[in-house]
Amino acid sequence: MFAFNVTKRIFINLFTRPATLMYPVVKREFTRNTRGKIEMNIEGCVFCGICQKKCPTKAISVNRADQKWEIERLKCVTCGYCVEACPKKCLSMSNEYCEPAVSKDKEVFANARVLDNATNS
Amino acid sequence: MSRRTIIPFGPQHPVLPEPIHLDLVMEDEKVVEAIPSIGFVHRGLEKLVEKKDFIEYIYVAERICGICSFMHGMGYSQAIEQIMNIEVPERAVFLRTIWAEFSRLHSHLLWLGLLADAFGFENLFMNCWRVREKILDIIEETTGGRVIFGSCKVGGVRKDIDPVTLKRIDKLLAELEKEIKDISNVFMNEYTVKRRLVGVGVLSKEDAHVLGAVGPMMRASGIAQDMRNLGYGAYSKLEFEPITRTNGDSYDRCAVRIDELFQSISLIRQAVDKIPEGPVDVKVTGNPDGEYFARLEQPRGEVVYYIKGNGTKFLDRVRVRTPTFANVPALLKLLQGCDFADVPILILTIDPCISCTER
Ligand code: SF4
Ligand code: SF4
């Protein structure tokens, strides 16, 4: 019985494709719904600060005076609450994960209409 | 009388996914007593309720545990909805039930894999996790997250499942059923597995009752108690019987969980068949004022959510009694008189989730 099961498993494993992806060659495809990186369309933002208030991890900070919107990617838990809360619908969630980071930087988005384009990141 | 020695077990140990420490008082090869100490991963999540408003706290509640994350969110929302008299749409209730059963499936498969790993059957471990991967994929596709679903919210759910995906789920279930049958065959009939499980760590029916064991632990000892019978969620409209066994040993605990896999598959099937059309959430206005106990059946057993609101958007108190916490006294009972080599298996058969326990 045992020998039979083992042999069967060996044959199945020999003749089926591996269950894991051969990573660098085959990239993982994210599903349509996967919660990933927060994308910002700074053109639409009115700096109301609602997203900052709603974010459970305080990853977002909004500076109305300087027209700056900052996000600390490592703090974000991709819950999507800010996207739901934004009245201007300028936030969105892409279905790809954020790139790995090596330092706790804030990603700054500044409004191009007010500031120089060069400060946009 | 032989000399007694104390062997420390944990907080880091290959079988332990999470830290718990046990001082094992040994007499030769036998364990006489086990003294637990917990508190290595205490995060103060219950206290955090004073800082987050009740809508936001659902994100915290979901992160109490990495395995039954969805059911924590569900328990929390149910309690709040009861306090605020929110009528959750039927479709949302069914979707919650579907996701809850998917999390039971993936939790039990994870546990089976860990068990196989604990008695050194690596191949079986990987086969279990290979099947589990398919469930995680469908969870990701429907909710957006693989571990933290994030799809439950106060007043309903965030995501809907479209009819095409529901059909696919039905097909996937048939596939899963076949693969799980293969795996369960090995667990239930293989000589090597039986040698490690049969008769090891017997918990009698009386002990299970007195020590307040919950979940599969209790059902393996012959007590037919399943919180899903309370009819929360869509369970009142689905047909199922609590699964019980009578011997209360490790083998039976394994058998109960395997049978629950098939039960979950049948529950999801029924839910997919009966799911009504309609909206998936309602608007929540006002603040919770009052208190409520919500009781749910998690993969590991009964979880109790106690919530007290005071009419503002910050709650007074959230208390979570998690299943592993209730199962620890039973574990200590099991450990008395067992062989040292069986300790890892016994700890695993309660399906410990230490992060839940310490919150
Ligand atoms: S909620 Fe939207 S509009 Fe308001 S600050 Fe945030 S991103 Fe800008
Ligand atoms: S996704 Fe959640 S954690 Fe991330 S920035 Fe938005 S609200 Fe904050």
Side-chain angles (χ1 to χ4, degrees), chain B residues 244-267:
Chain B
T244 54
R245 291 269 170 151
T246 45
N247 295 334
D249 58 357
S250 299
Y251 181 78
D252 275 3
R253 288 194 277 279
C254 181
V256 164
R257 290 193 175 99
I258 285 181
D259 288 347
E260 282 186 10
L261 287 174
F262 295 113
Q263 185 187 41
S264 290
I265 290 179
S266 123
L267 280 170

Short mmCIF file of all heavy atoms in Angstrom, two decimals, chain B residues 244-267:
data_model
loop_
_atom_site.label_atom_id
_atom_site.label_comp_id
_atom_site.label_asym_id
_atom_site.label_seq_id
_atom_site.Cartn_x
_atom_site.Cartn_y
_atom_site.Cartn_z
N THR B 244 -17.61 14.77 14.71
CA THR B 244 -17.03 14.33 15.98
C THR B 244 -16.35 12.98 15.81
O THR B 244 -16.64 12.22 14.90
CB THR B 244 -18.09 14.18 17.09
OG1 THR B 244 -19.11 13.33 16.60
CG2 THR B 244 -18.66 15.51 17.49
N ARG B 245 -15.43 12.73 16.73
CA ARG B 245 -14.81 11.42 16.86
C ARG B 245 -14.84 11.08 18.34
O ARG B 245 -15.13 11.95 19.15
CB ARG B 245 -13.35 11.47 16.38
CG ARG B 245 -13.21 11.67 14.92
CD ARG B 245 -13.15 10.35 14.23
NE ARG B 245 -13.25 10.51 12.78
CZ ARG B 245 -12.71 9.66 11.93
NH1 ARG B 245 -12.01 8.64 12.37
NH2 ARG B 245 -12.86 9.84 10.65
N THR B 246 -14.48 9.87 18.68
CA THR B 246 -14.67 9.50 20.09
C THR B 246 -13.39 9.25 20.88
O THR B 246 -13.39 9.36 22.10
CB THR B 246 -15.56 8.25 20.19
OG1 THR B 246 -15.09 7.32 19.24
CG2 THR B 246 -17.01 8.59 19.92
N ASN B 247 -12.29 8.93 20.20
CA ASN B 247 -11.12 8.51 20.98
C ASN B 247 -10.34 9.66 21.61
O ASN B 247 -9.67 9.49 22.61
CB ASN B 247 -10.17 7.70 20.10
CG ASN B 247 -10.81 6.40 19.68
OD1 ASN B 247 -11.69 5.89 20.37
ND2 ASN B 247 -10.40 5.89 18.54
N GLY B 248 -10.37 10.81 21.00
CA GLY B 248 -9.67 11.96 21.57
C GLY B 248 -8.16 11.89 21.49
O GLY B 248 -7.48 12.62 22.19
N ASP B 249 -7.62 11.04 20.64
CA ASP B 249 -6.15 11.03 20.51
C ASP B 249 -5.73 11.88 19.30
O ASP B 249 -6.56 12.47 18.62
CB ASP B 249 -5.63 9.59 20.38
CG ASP B 249 -6.24 8.86 19.19
OD1 ASP B 249 -7.10 9.46 18.54
OD2 ASP B 249 -5.86 7.71 18.94
N SER B 250 -4.43 11.94 19.07
CA SER B 250 -3.93 12.81 18.01
C SER B 250 -4.49 12.40 16.65
O SER B 250 -4.79 13.24 15.81
CB SER B 250 -2.41 12.75 17.95
OG SER B 250 -1.87 13.19 19.15
N TYR B 251 -4.65 11.11 16.46
CA TYR B 251 -5.17 10.60 15.19
C TYR B 251 -6.58 11.13 14.95
O TYR B 251 -6.92 11.54 13.84
CB TYR B 251 -5.14 9.08 15.23
CG TYR B 251 -5.64 8.40 13.98
CD1 TYR B 251 -4.83 8.33 12.86
CD2 TYR B 251 -6.91 7.84 13.93
CE1 TYR B 251 -5.28 7.71 11.71
CE2 TYR B 251 -7.36 7.23 12.79
CZ TYR B 251 -6.54 7.16 11.67
OH TYR B 251 -7.00 6.55 10.54
N ASP B 252 -7.38 11.14 16.01
CA ASP B 252 -8.76 11.61 15.86
C ASP B 252 -8.81 13.11 15.61
O ASP B 252 -9.65 13.60 14.86
CB ASP B 252 -9.58 11.27 17.10
CG ASP B 252 -10.14 9.86 16.99
OD1 ASP B 252 -9.81 9.19 16.00
OD2 ASP B 252 -10.89 9.46 17.89
N ARG B 253 -7.92 13.83 16.25
CA ARG B 253 -7.89 15.29 16.01
C ARG B 253 -7.54 15.56 14.55
O ARG B 253 -8.07 16.47 13.92
CB ARG B 253 -6.89 15.96 16.95
CG ARG B 253 -7.38 16.00 18.38
CD ARG B 253 -6.56 16.94 19.22
NE ARG B 253 -5.33 16.32 19.73
CZ ARG B 253 -5.27 15.53 20.78
NH1 ARG B 253 -6.37 15.25 21.46
NH2 ARG B 253 -4.14 15.01 21.19
N CYS B 254 -6.64 14.75 14.04
CA CYS B 254 -6.28 14.87 12.62
C CYS B 254 -7.48 14.50 11.75
O CYS B 254 -7.81 15.20 10.79
CB CYS B 254 -5.09 13.94 12.35
SG CYS B 254 -4.51 13.98 10.69
N ALA B 255 -8.18 13.44 12.14
CA ALA B 255 -9.32 12.97 11.34
C ALA B 255 -10.44 14.01 11.33
O ALA B 255 -11.06 14.25 10.29
CB ALA B 255 -9.83 11.66 11.90
N VAL B 256 -10.68 14.64 12.48
CA VAL B 256 -11.73 15.66 12.54
C VAL B 256 -11.40 16.78 11.58
O VAL B 256 -12.25 17.25 10.81
CB VAL B 256 -11.87 16.21 13.98
CG1 VAL B 256 -12.66 17.50 13.99
CG2 VAL B 256 -12.55 15.20 14.86
N ARG B 257 -10.15 17.20 11.57
CA ARG B 257 -9.79 18.31 10.69
C ARG B 257 -9.91 17.91 9.23
O ARG B 257 -10.31 18.70 8.38
CB ARG B 257 -8.39 18.81 11.02
CG ARG B 257 -8.38 19.52 12.37
CD ARG B 257 -7.11 20.29 12.60
NE ARG B 257 -7.20 21.05 13.83
CZ ARG B 257 -6.67 20.65 14.98
NH1 ARG B 257 -6.02 19.51 15.07
NH2 ARG B 257 -6.78 21.41 16.06
N ILE B 258 -9.52 16.68 8.92
CA ILE B 258 -9.64 16.24 7.53
C ILE B 258 -11.11 16.20 7.11
O ILE B 258 -11.48 16.66 6.03
CB ILE B 258 -8.96 14.88 7.34
CG1 ILE B 258 -7.45 15.09 7.34
CG2 ILE B 258 -9.41 14.21 6.05
CD1 ILE B 258 -6.64 13.87 7.15
N ASP B 259 -11.96 15.67 8.00
CA ASP B 259 -13.38 15.65 7.65
C ASP B 259 -13.94 17.06 7.51
O ASP B 259 -14.83 17.31 6.70
CB ASP B 259 -14.17 14.87 8.71
CG ASP B 259 -13.89 13.39 8.62
OD1 ASP B 259 -13.30 12.98 7.60
OD2 ASP B 259 -14.25 12.65 9.56
N GLU B 260 -13.41 17.97 8.31
CA GLU B 260 -13.89 19.35 8.19
C GLU B 260 -13.50 19.99 6.87
O GLU B 260 -14.17 20.91 6.40
CB GLU B 260 -13.37 20.20 9.36
CG GLU B 260 -14.17 19.93 10.61
CD GLU B 260 -13.81 20.84 11.76
OE1 GLU B 260 -13.06 21.81 11.57
OE2 GLU B 260 -14.28 20.56 12.86
N LEU B 261 -12.42 19.49 6.28
CA LEU B 261 -12.06 19.99 4.94
C LEU B 261 -13.19 19.68 3.97
O LEU B 261 -13.65 20.55 3.23
CB LEU B 261 -10.78 19.32 4.45
CG LEU B 261 -9.46 19.76 5.09
CD1 LEU B 261 -8.33 18.88 4.57
CD2 LEU B 261 -9.17 21.19 4.75
N PHE B 262 -13.67 18.43 4.02
CA PHE B 262 -14.75 18.05 3.10
C PHE B 262 -16.04 18.79 3.45
O PHE B 262 -16.80 19.18 2.58
CB PHE B 262 -14.96 16.53 3.13
CG PHE B 262 -13.78 15.78 2.62
CD1 PHE B 262 -13.02 14.99 3.45
CD2 PHE B 262 -13.39 15.90 1.29
CE1 PHE B 262 -11.91 14.31 2.98
CE2 PHE B 262 -12.29 15.23 0.81
CZ PHE B 262 -11.54 14.44 1.66
N GLN B 263 -16.23 18.99 4.75
CA GLN B 263 -17.41 19.73 5.19
C GLN B 263 -17.37 21.16 4.64
O GLN B 263 -18.37 21.67 4.12
CB GLN B 263 -17.43 19.76 6.71
CG GLN B 263 -18.65 20.39 7.31
CD GLN B 263 -18.50 20.52 8.80
OE1 GLN B 263 -17.43 20.88 9.31
NE2 GLN B 263 -19.55 20.21 9.53
N SER B 264 -16.20 21.79 4.72
CA SER B 264 -16.07 23.16 4.22
C SER B 264 -16.35 23.20 2.73
O SER B 264 -17.02 24.12 2.24
CB SER B 264 -14.67 23.70 4.48
OG SER B 264 -14.49 23.93 5.83
N ILE B 265 -15.82 22.21 2.01
CA ILE B 265 -16.06 22.18 0.56
C ILE B 265 -17.55 22.11 0.29
O ILE B 265 -18.08 22.85 -0.54
CB ILE B 265 -15.31 20.98 -0.07
CG1 ILE B 265 -13.81 21.24 -0.03
CG2 ILE B 265 -15.77 20.76 -1.50
CD1 ILE B 265 -12.97 20.14 -0.58
N SER B 266 -18.24 21.26 1.05
CA SER B 266 -19.68 21.14 0.81
C SER B 266 -20.40 22.43 1.19
O SER B 266 -21.34 22.86 0.51
CB SER B 266 -20.23 19.93 1.57
OG SER B 266 -21.24 20.28 2.44
N LEU B 267 -19.94 23.09 2.26
CA LEU B 267 -20.57 24.35 2.67
C LEU B 267 -20.39 25.43 1.61
O LEU B 267 -21.32 26.17 1.30
CB LEU B 267 -19.99 24.83 4.00
CG LEU B 267 -20.54 24.15 5.25
CD1 LEU B 267 -19.73 24.53 6.47
CD2 LEU B 267 -21.99 24.53 5.46
#
